[in-house]
Amino acid sequence: MKPSPMSLRAPSREFPKGWYCVADSKEVKVEKLLPVSWLGRDYVVFRDTQGLAKVADAYCPHLGAHLASHDGCIKEGRVICPFHHWGFDTSTGKCTDIPYAKVIPPVSLTFYEVREVNEQIVIWYHPEGLAPDREPYQSDLLKEREWVLFDSRSWTSSAPFCDILENLFDTAHILMLHHAHETPKLGNIEELDYGLKVDYIMDPDKSDQPMKSLTCHISGITLLVQHYEFVGTEALFVFSFTPIDHEYFVQRTHLYLLNNVSPEVMENIGKEFVDRFVMEVDQDMEVLNFKKHLTKPRLCDGDGPILRFRRYSNQFLEKEGV
Amino acid sequence: MNTVIINVEDRHGRIRKVEACCGDNMMEVLRDQGFGVEGTCGGAVSCGSCHIYVDPSLMTQLTPQIDDEAAMLDAIQTEVTVDPTSRLSCQIVVSDYMNGMRIKVAQEI
Ligand code: FES
Ligand SMILES: [Fe+2]
């Protein structure tokens, strides 16, 4: 079965406003242009001489060459376009050099608002081009403690974009689709400056319960950090969801484990965790990739706080397109 | 469409009367009337080839410079004389009050 076009499965809308991951931090090096395509646009990602991440429109404002085509490169703090060798300052984006011209015109690369959080480079997108109205969640734990990046995965999905995070609030599918023994209990759901903080309630009477706590931090509807506390160790799960276009988005997931146990123990914990997680995402995708976004779903009493999530996520969406 | 007469001094000091329609782009008028104004960037404010000096008495009536025009005028100073009456003609729309106005085409960059 092939997924039907999104026009049949979701209201036609602009991409939601928010912070979108365009690259992992470690992919982006000083003096190197990384071409990427997201949100129906092309970008180049690079670092200036101070190491600050920059994201620019991929096309030279002079005559439209893709800056990373042919031998386009970064030299001495300047992006050099392969077409006419115009040079643009990596920090300011300003054109500083045209080998054949007498006058340097006031022309600049188009930079996007960038943040580097949780080892990811994220840019701000707003359908009307407005400035950021919030900052993405930054995990202090990830910065302050010693973690091992245990595993990274990525999925390309044809699910309706707004439905991917809704899945967290759809507690009944965890029993049914994922065959879990019990539903996770969502505790406090709190709206904070970056988005939503969700605590799960663990059953203290269960002695076989290896998980002590789970907290989710959702930035807008595009980024997610999950913090797990187990008996003896902890894990951070860093997720990003970025549309390629209106048909597909990419989910990236990085699992960090606290570096406080032996490599063998870490391997065991990590592998079990990843295997279970990958199996669940694969199961989700087998359904989500084909699903429709129902604006009036018929929810029943055992369903989770799906509409609570929708009331939250609505603020990031344009009204339905005309 | 109203027309106006503008007195244009060319790069050799000769003055010619030019008829232009209100709403026309001044750079295009000069380009099409053979004043040697190239308009390489087509009005995108990046070539400076449309540099003119305007009648000081009319300066305040012209639409103010946008940032790019000011930056471009600043940049061409290394090549040509830029003074307070300097404007990029691609940023000027021919209007009624310009009837009889005198402008001077600046030297080529
Ligand atoms: S036409 Fe190029 S700056 Fe005016
Ligand atoms: Fe799921």
Side-chain angles (χ1 to χ4, degrees), chain A residues 158-172:
Chain A
S158 58
F161 183 74
C162 296
D163 293 3
I164 185 70
L165 276 167
E166 186 173 296
N167 198 243
L168 283 183
F169 299 84
D170 172 5
T171 46

Side-chain angles (χ1 to χ4, degrees), chain A residues 86 102-107, chain B residues 46 68 71-72 75 79 109:
Chain A
W86 285 34
K102 295 190 196 122
V103 175
I104 307 301
V107 174
Chain B
S46 50
D68 273 354
M72 195 62 209
E79 308 301 319
I109 289 173

Side-chain angles (χ1 to χ4, degrees), chain A residues 19-32:
Chain A
W19 292 100
Y20 290 95
C21 174
V22 295
D24 292 330
S25 290
K26 61 175 185 313
E27 290 180 279
V28 183
K29 312 233 160 50
V30 180
E31 308 271 295
K32 181 126 183 61

Side-chain angles (χ1 to χ4, degrees), chain B residues 27 39-43 45-50 88 90:
Chain B
M27 174 274 282
T40 310
C41 73
V45 206
S46 50
C47 72
S49 68
C50 63
L88 295 176
C90 66

Side-chain angles (χ1 to χ4, degrees), chain A residues 66-250:
Chain A
H66 193 299
L67 294 164
S69 63
H70 185 51
D71 60 358
C73 63
I74 296 183
K75 241 185 237 148
E76 287 153 14
R78 269 178 247 162
V79 176
I80 310 290
C81 175
F83 206 3
H84 301 84
H85 296 190
W86 285 34
F88 299 89
D89 187 284
T90 49
S91 299
T92 63
K94 284 200 176 116
C95 177
T96 56
D97 197 48
I98 304 173
Y100 59 89
K102 295 190 196 122
V103 175
I104 307 301
V107 174
S108 297
L109 299 178
T110 307
F111 276 161
Y112 292 84
E113 283 282 352
V114 185
R115 303 287 185 271
E116 196 158 1
V117 289
N118 311 320
E119 300 293 310
Q120 293 188 314
I121 292 166
V122 301
I123 59 166
W124 175 255
Y125 175 89
H126 190 290
E128 286 146 50
L130 301 183
D133 57 16
R134 62 186 62 221
E135 291 297 315
Y137 172 74
Q138 161 76 59
S139 166
D140 291 334
L141 284 175
L142 187 60
K143 275 208 275 197
E144 286 158 11
R145 298 166 72 184
E146 207 190 315
W147 302 87
V148 173
L149 175 57
F150 184 82
D151 195 89
S152 296
R153 301 279 165 142
S154 131
W155 283 264
T156 299
S157 169
S158 58
F161 183 74
C162 296
D163 293 3
I164 185 70
L165 276 167
E166 186 173 296
N167 198 243
L168 283 183
F169 299 84
D170 172 5
T171 46
H173 92 288
I174 302 195
L175 289 181
M176 300 293 112
L177 178 65
H178 300 316
H179 312 293
H181 303 303
E182 53 184 338
T183 44
K185 284 196 192 61
L186 290 169
N188 199 27
I189 302 180
E190 199 182 348
E191 195 162 340
L192 297 172
D193 49 359
Y194 59 81
L196 276 190
K197 177 170 173 244
V198 183
D199 288 307
Y200 286 72
I201 299 164
M202 300 298 151
D203 191 342
D205 298 338
K206 283 247 181 57
S207 50
D208 62 333
Q209 173 70 269
M211 207 197 294
K212 292 199 301 184
S213 79
L214 167 56
T215 306
C216 297
H217 304 272
I218 304 173
S219 299
I221 51 171
T222 60
L223 304 170
L224 162 67
V225 177
Q226 291 183 327
H227 178 220
Y228 290 84
E229 279 186 296
F230 302 107
V231 176
T233 190
E234 294 176 38
L236 276 176
F237 237 156
V238 177
F239 293 74
S240 65
F241 310 94
T242 312
I244 299 170
D245 51 28
H246 286 287
E247 302 295 325
Y248 293 96
F249 69 86
V250 170

Side-chain angles (χ1 to χ4, degrees), chain A residues 310-322:
Chain A
R310 287 198 182 181
R311 281 197 301 279
Y312 160 78
S313 65
N314 260 335
Q315 63 184 302
F316 304 101
L317 306 174
E318 288 287 277
K319 278 178 211 81
E320 195 170 332
V322 270

